[in-house]
Structure formats: C-alpha cells, structure tokens
C-alpha cells in the first residue's frame, strides 16, 4: 500500500489537532467548578502515585469519550491521555499535593497505556470497558473517590 506524502502529512496534522482538542476539553473538565471536586478527590486519594495518575488520566479520557458518545478519534486518545496525565502531575506539584518524579511519570504512562488498550482495543471503534475498570461517575455527581471511581 503506497501513501502519498502530502496525504500522510495531512493525517498527521489532523491527528495533532484532534489530540489538542481532547487535551483542551480534558483540562477544561478537570478545572471546571462543577467537576473539580471529583478531580481533586481522585488525585489526592491514597495509593501509589503512578497508579493514581494512570487511573485518573484514563478516567478523564473515558469521561470525555462518554460525553462525545464514543466518537473521540481513536488515534488521538493515547497521546492526549499522556498529555492529560502530565497536566495532572504538574497540578499536583504546583498545588503541593505530591511531587511526581520522572520515574513516577514513566511508570504511570506505562500503566495508562495498558488501561487505554483495555478500554479501546485496536480495531474496535467504540469504547470497550472491561469489568476490572469501573465506569466513572457522572460529572454532575460528586464522587469522593475520583474520576475512575475506586
């Protein structure tokens, strides 16, 4: 299969644009006064820092995809999830909640990718939540345990 270089560049640009849109929507949702308490509860819960970052970033992506009725562009989900995870780590540091180090973030990204692959298996268009991953709470209901629930 041959690909036109211009076509490839156009697809890459579209993918970047899609990722940027997801990240923007995710940061808006994280900091929205209506959902901030859910976000805050999730990132301050007990547990290994890499687990908290991974599950909360995945939960945020799932929440965004649910709001988009399963129509988030699949190629943009993984990179957007990583960017949102990094934003969460940055927030934790600036707010004095935790001090994620490079090793924490690397481990969190590895765990995040495993969760994303379970939620969005390659070749599947719709979200495929697994029994191990609880559905996130609705944005209008405060969830003391965070975006991913438990």
């Amino acid at each position: 299969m041959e690909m036109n270089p211009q076509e490839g560049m156009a697809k890459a640009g579209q993918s970047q644009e899609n990722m940027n849109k997801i990240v923007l929507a995710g940061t808006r949702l994280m900091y929205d006064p209506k959902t901030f308490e859910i976000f805050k509860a999730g990132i301050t819960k007990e547990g290994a820092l890499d687990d908290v970052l991974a599950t909360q970033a995945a939960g945020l992506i799932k929440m965004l995809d649910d709001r988009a009725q399963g129509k988030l562009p699949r190629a943009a989900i993984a990179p957007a999830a990583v960017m949102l995870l990094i934003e969460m780590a940055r927030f934790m540091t600036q707010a004095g909640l935790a001090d994620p180090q490079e090793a924490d973030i690397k481990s969190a990204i590895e765990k995040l990718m495993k969760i994303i692959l379970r939620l969005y298996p390659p070749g599947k268009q719709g979200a495929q939540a697994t029994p191990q991953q609880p559905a996130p709470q609705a944005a209008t209901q405060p969830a003391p345990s965070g975006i991913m629930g438990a």
Side-chain angles (χ1 to χ4, degrees), residues 93-110:
T93 300
Q94 289 182 344
L97 300 172
D99 187 23
Q101 299 298 305
E102 185 176 341
D104 297 316
I105 293 171
K106 284 182 179 180
S107 177
I109 290 170
E110 287 176 19

Side-chain angles (χ1 to χ4, degrees), residues 21-40:
K21 286 178 182 179
I22 294 170
V23 171
L24 181 60
T27 54
R28 282 183 179 160
L29 189 58
M30 283 178 2
Y31 299 122
D32 184 298
K34 295 176 186 171
T35 55
F36 182 75
E37 289 304 314
I38 298 169
F39 167 63
K40 181 180 171 189

